[in-house]
Amino acid sequence: MPKRRVHVVAAAIYNDDERVFLSRRPSYVDQGGLWEFPGGKLHPHETGLEALKRELNEELGIHVKRAQPLIRVHHEYTDKHILLDVWGVRDFEGAPYGREGQVVRWVPVADLGRYNFPAANLPIIKAVALPHAYMITADRADEASFEAGLTAALERHRPRLVRLRDTALDAEAYAARAERAVDICRRAGAQLMLGHRGSEMEALVALVERLDAGGLHLTSDQLGVLARRPLDGARWLGASVHDAAGLAQAERLDCDFAVLSPVRATGSHPDAQPLGWHGLQQMIEHVRLPVFALGGLGLEDIDHARGVGAQGVAAISAFER
């Protein structure tokens, strides 16, 4: 028998203090007692946004003025297939409360991991905690030029997550640069992701831990040969991917996010076939982790990327401007 398909909308509602609003499921319903992002099932002939506005008014007493897509999560239960259509909501009228008697709470994003959620909600936690722009550093041989460029980009664009790429450096030089870059990013309130194709995996993980960096970013080649997640869940694990097989491997390794490229043609990879927005949307539709779009994109493309289901954009040159 085919499984029953259920389309549900949910909201990550933010306040001015960057806390997220949660509600707890009543004890007498399925998965009662677990926390969740508020929402509910679509009515016949409703769009996702229409259902979101209705549900949040019925459950929390607020009127949504504007919402943006965050992530779409497909999840298989034993008896049903759930599509969670999740939206980010910052612009609303009213003060949310448990209009149906449910327990509710404003929770700091950093504390979401302390709460028990239904399994289908777990990718949402990662999407809520991640930014919508992922900065990738440009290759610079000169240390003074690198540090000046990184500092200027952090001041100008204020990215929260940065990947130290620098393919031209050997393992020793990369580790030395990482030590300085971690400090520069930390002072600017950003987390630094480390990743180097010329270093041994054990050495990279040890470097991440020694510097207390934000996490590890795997190249597509490194991703392909790993059999298990190489570091603990307290830090981010990202991966570069170029096709559906890479996305599937990132899911198997329990990566926290992936970077998929190229979306548009780029001068650095002129022979690569670009996915385009439609191809990107099709490829990530059933992926259970946030995906950044990369390749010929700028910060002005964030809303478009989110509109087709991506977490946002990753870029190098856009942060140089």
Side-chain angles (χ1 to χ4, degrees):
M1 291 289 292
K3 290 184 180 180
R4 178 167 56 97
R5 301 181 66 88
V6 182
H7 190 171
V8 175
V9 289
I13 306 168
Y14 302 83
N15 67 7
D16 293 338
D17 295 327
E18 290 301 302
R19 292 173 179 253
V20 180
F21 198 80
L22 301 181
S23 61
R24 191 165 67 187
R25 296 176 66 82
S27 58
Y28 53 83
V29 302
D30 184 35
Q31 304 195 72
L34 299 181
W35 292 88
E36 65 180 358
F37 297 91
K41 299 176 185 176
L42 271 70
H43 286 176
H45 311 300
E46 272 187 325
T47 66
L49 184 57
E50 289 170 344
L52 185 83
K53 292 180 176 181
R54 174 185 53 76
E55 284 285 345
L56 296 189
N57 180 252
E58 292 174 356
E59 290 188 15
L60 308 178
I62 63 173
H63 297 275
V64 175
K65 297 173 65 177
R66 185 170 178 265
Q68 285 186 293
L70 181 61
I71 190 171
R72 286 164 62 90
V73 179
H74 290 264
H75 189 83
E76 299 287 345
Y77 288 102
T78 55
D79 61 336
K80 59 191 172 186
H81 175 99
I82 294 285
L83 168 58
L84 265 173
D85 189 4
V86 189
W87 298 69
V89 177
R90 295 179 180 272
D91 192 0
F92 58 92
E93 294 179 344
Y97 68 100
R99 195 173 184 182
E100 299 174 340
Q102 70 272 38
V103 177
V104 296
R105 184 175 299 173
W106 285 106
V107 175
V109 170
D111 291 346
L112 288 174
R114 302 178 183 178
Y115 289 76
N116 292 322
F117 289 85
N121 279 222
L122 298 183
I124 307 173
I125 298 172
K126 296 176 181 179
V128 168
L130 285 166
H132 299 298
Y134 185 25
M135 175 182 166
I136 304 172
T137 61
D139 290 339
R140 295 176 188 268
D142 179 69
E143 290 302 318
S145 174
F146 168 79
E147 292 182 21
L150 176 59
T151 300
L154 289 166
E155 291 177 351
R156 187 180 305 117
H157 299 291
R158 300 191 179 279
R160 290 168 40 208
L161 196 64
V162 180
R163 175 190 172 192
L164 180 60
R165 182 169 175 264
D166 293 296
T167 58
L169 303 178
D170 63 24
E172 184 178 352
Y174 181 87
R177 178 170 290 186
E179 189 161 357
R180 292 187 291 272
V182 162
D183 186 55
I184 293 170
C185 287
R186 188 174 290 126
R187 291 200 303 268
Q191 291 183 297
L192 186 68
M193 300 286 292
L194 304 184
H196 186 246
R197 68 178 68 249
S199 299
E200 296 293 333
M201 187 56 56
E202 288 186 3
L204 273 175
V205 172
L207 183 65
V208 169
E209 293 174 347
R210 178 171 68 83
L211 299 182
D212 194 22
L216 177 65
H217 189 103
L218 304 172
T219 67
S220 58
D221 289 339
Q222 290 169 334
L223 175 71
V225 299
L226 286 172
R228 59 183 177 84
R229 183 182 172 105
L231 79 171
D232 62 46
R235 305 179 196 275
W236 294 117
L237 179 63
S240 294
V241 301
H242 306 292
D243 51 30
L247 287 169
Q249 174 68 351
E251 288 189 287
R252 281 193 292 271
L253 256 62
D254 194 27
C255 289
D256 298 302
F257 65 89
V259 176
L260 178 60
S261 67
V263 176
R264 291 180 180 149
T266 64
S268 58
H269 297 85
D271 297 328
Q273 180 64 38
L275 294 166
W277 291 116
H278 182 63
L280 172 71
Q281 184 177 33
Q282 286 188 311
M283 195 169 291
I284 65 178
E285 170 64 27
H286 291 274
V287 176
R288 287 177 44 82
L289 78 167
V291 178
F292 290 94
L294 172 67
L297 304 179
L299 301 181
E300 68 278 5
D301 294 307
I302 289 175
D303 284 348
H304 199 154
R306 295 181 66 187
V308 298
Q311 176 71 18
V313 303
I316 301 175
S317 60
F319 287 94
E320 297 280 296
R321 297 194 286 267

